[in-house]
Amino acid sequence: MITTRKPDGTHRVVITGTGAVSPAGIGVGVLWEKLLAKECCISELTRFGKGIFEVKVAAQVPPHDVTELGLSKKDARRFALFVQYAIIASDEAIRQAGIDFGSIDPTRFGCAFGSGIGGMEEFESGCKTLAESGPTRVNPLFIPTMITNMAAGNLSIRYGLRGECTDVVTACATGTHNIGSAYRSIRHGYLDLALAGGSEEPFTPVCLAGFTRIGALTKAVDPLNASLPFDARRGGFVAGEGAGAVVLESLEHALARQARIIAEVVGFGSTADAYHMTAPSPDGEGLTRSMRHALDEGGFTVDDIGHVNAHGTGTPINDRTEAAALLGLGAAVQERVPVVSIKGAIGHTMAAAGALEAIVTALSVAGDLVPPTTGFAVADPECPVRVLIDSLEAYPQKVALSNSLGFGGHNATLAISPYRS
């Protein structure tokens, strides 16, 4: 008989659907294939401002026709880009989960979907219109187009999700926090299902200017040597865009509708550094606690970790801090636990990053296969962790961790295991 509850009586929570829009392309399949092939999806920045910005490379979603991906022409005009990405990714996740909305209680189906900065294109366009033409010419839908909760709001409208609908915003930890929030709501019985994830559209002049001025972005000109997680040559992250979406549900609910289960979310950790607006605490203590909380909640120990999907942005301080946090789990982590960052292939997709990385982590534990870290070549003594440079195949795991960090000192960790009845 399958046990659908945790030892404390709360619900087990499983992943039954995944969806992605990323610099690798549209869909989870193409993302997974390019990660395994160590294909770099970073290219020359082409959206605007050639010769003006110090930033020369970006991780951009390839050109696509949204009307071929389930959106109408009206949707394309009305929805900000981050909402469009969220819808495309969520449509894939809902399809994969095999949701029959006619047989599901919509008041028990929630949505937790966030964006770190929201509709930046609409924001810049509105400011320009105000300055050039006056307040009466500003788009009447300016506010509901750009605000960050509109991914969650429009997703709930699209699918008729009438349960809890939230937008957790924690900068680059947003995707992970939204999945963690949805996991907790299902675990404690407030929901049966949830659509969760994150979406971002950072490619506007003021956004890239801001990230550049704060010193976060790489000034590399060669796309193949720009995003270098944990590498001694790293000099900043490559800005990326996209969205990641997952369908979570209680194991009891998934079994009742005979859903295909991909993996199980077994724990969630969330902590604060209380240290600095942009820099993580150098000792990594907050992230160490986050990882321990996620492991403890799942009933696992450090010795059970199969691999860590790191935040691994490729900025000097972030990678040092994350390495310190991993070593804070115990000296054995340094040699034994494989560490991978998918940002070497697709850049840093900010609010979408944690969701895309959770999807990759789920596929890794489900398929006994961990992808390598694209771009890593020169080990840094200040980051003494076992960075994967080749795929790990036929590699069964008990549990894997997916980490995210955000400006403001936000730390979040998901513990994900292969589903076992």
Side-chain angles (χ1 to χ4, degrees):
M1 182 177 178
I2 298 174
T3 302
T4 60
R5 301 287 181 115
K6 289 174 174 281
D8 63 0
T10 58
H11 293 274
R12 293 173 64 184
V13 181
V14 294
I15 300 171
T16 56
T18 60
V21 174
S22 76
I26 306 299
V28 171
V30 68
L31 171 63
W32 186 242
E33 289 171 6
K34 291 189 176 183
L35 291 177
L36 292 176
K38 293 182 74 171
E39 183 173 336
C40 180
C41 303
I42 296 163
S43 59
E44 179 186 3
L45 176 62
T46 57
R47 296 284 176 86
F48 54 79
K50 278 193 174 183
I52 299 175
F53 288 84
E54 292 179 277
V55 176
K56 305 300 181 185
V57 298
Q60 301 156 111
V61 172
H64 55 280
D65 184 346
V66 296
T67 62
E68 294 179 357
L69 296 169
L71 279 78
S72 67
K73 291 183 179 179
K74 180 180 178 181
D75 292 338
R77 292 193 303 270
R78 184 177 53 169
F79 294 151
L81 199 56
F82 81 99
V83 174
Q84 294 180 37
Y85 289 159
I87 289 173
I88 295 168
S90 296
D91 279 356
E92 180 185 17
I94 293 288
R95 284 195 305 270
Q96 189 180 79
I99 301 295
D100 175 8
F101 287 100
S103 62
I104 288 176
D105 181 354
T107 67
R108 300 283 298 170
F109 199 150
C111 184
F113 221 99
S115 176
I117 52 179
M120 290 302 293
E121 285 188 349
E122 181 66 22
F123 176 79
E124 289 197 27
S125 175
C127 290
K128 182 179 179 180
T129 299
L130 176 64
E132 295 179 353
S133 304
T136 61
R137 305 303 299 172
V138 172
N139 178 7
L141 295 178
F142 172 73
I143 296 297
T145 297
M146 62 159 285
I147 53 180
T148 61
N149 71 303
M150 278 301 153
N154 281 302
L155 289 171
S156 66
I157 293 168
R158 185 175 182 84
Y159 308 118
L161 312 182
R162 295 168 58 198
E164 179 182 44
C165 182
T166 58
D167 162 29
V168 181
V169 181
T170 51
C172 298
T174 292
T176 298
H177 271 115
N178 278 279
I179 294 173
S181 175
Y183 156 78
R184 284 179 171 169
S185 291
I186 296 170
R187 178 190 171 195
H188 292 288
Y190 298 107
L191 298 171
D192 293 328
L193 309 91
L195 176 64
S199 183
E200 205 78 277
E201 53 156 291
F203 292 126
T204 69
V206 73
C207 188
L208 286 193
F211 277 117
T212 301
R213 289 289 292 159
I214 208 169
L217 298 182
T218 180
K219 296 179 182 178
V221 296
D222 178 5
L224 298 179
N225 290 286
S227 185
L228 307 171
F230 299 104
D231 194 290
R233 301 166 297 156
R234 69 190 185 279
F237 73 77
V238 174
E241 62 179 342
V246 298
V247 173
L248 302 177
E249 55 188 300
S250 70
L251 176 56
E252 183 177 2
H253 191 276
L255 292 175
R257 68 180 191 88
Q258 299 182 315
R260 173 181 170 268
I261 295 170
I262 298 168
E264 181 174 356
V265 179
V266 294
F268 174 53
S270 179
T271 66
D273 285 346
Y275 174 73
H276 190 270
M277 285 177 63
T278 58
S281 180
D283 60 10
E285 185 274 336
L287 181 57
T288 299
R289 280 189 292 115
S290 179
M291 290 187 284
R292 287 195 182 279
H293 290 172
L295 288 170
D296 290 346
E297 189 169 271
F300 295 96
T301 69
V302 172
D303 292 336
D304 294 321
I305 301 173
H307 84 283
V308 173
N309 193 308
H311 189 58
T313 60
T315 61
I317 190 169
N318 177 89
D319 292 1
R320 284 199 305 269
T321 294
E322 193 163 11
L326 288 166
L327 296 182
L329 291 174
V333 171
Q334 180 175 347
E335 297 180 358
R336 189 189 65 79
V337 178
V339 176
V340 61
S341 170
I342 68 172
K343 292 182 176 72
I346 65 168
H348 186 7
T349 55
M350 304 182 195
L356 292 170
E357 288 154 9
I359 291 168
V360 171
T361 305
L363 295 178
S364 296
V365 299
D368 301 337
L369 174 60
V370 184
T373 300
T374 302
F376 180 82
V378 182
D380 184 351
E382 294 189 341
C383 300
V385 291
R386 183 188 165 196
V387 182
L388 277 185
I389 58 174
D390 296 303
S391 297
L392 280 179
E393 301 179 9
Y395 182 70
Q397 303 173 70
K398 291 182 179 180
V399 66
L401 301 180
S402 182
N403 286 333
S404 291
L405 289 74
F407 281 176
H410 306 283
N411 306 298
T413 303
L414 291 166
I416 300 175
S417 290
Y419 168 66
R420 295 187 177 92
S421 58

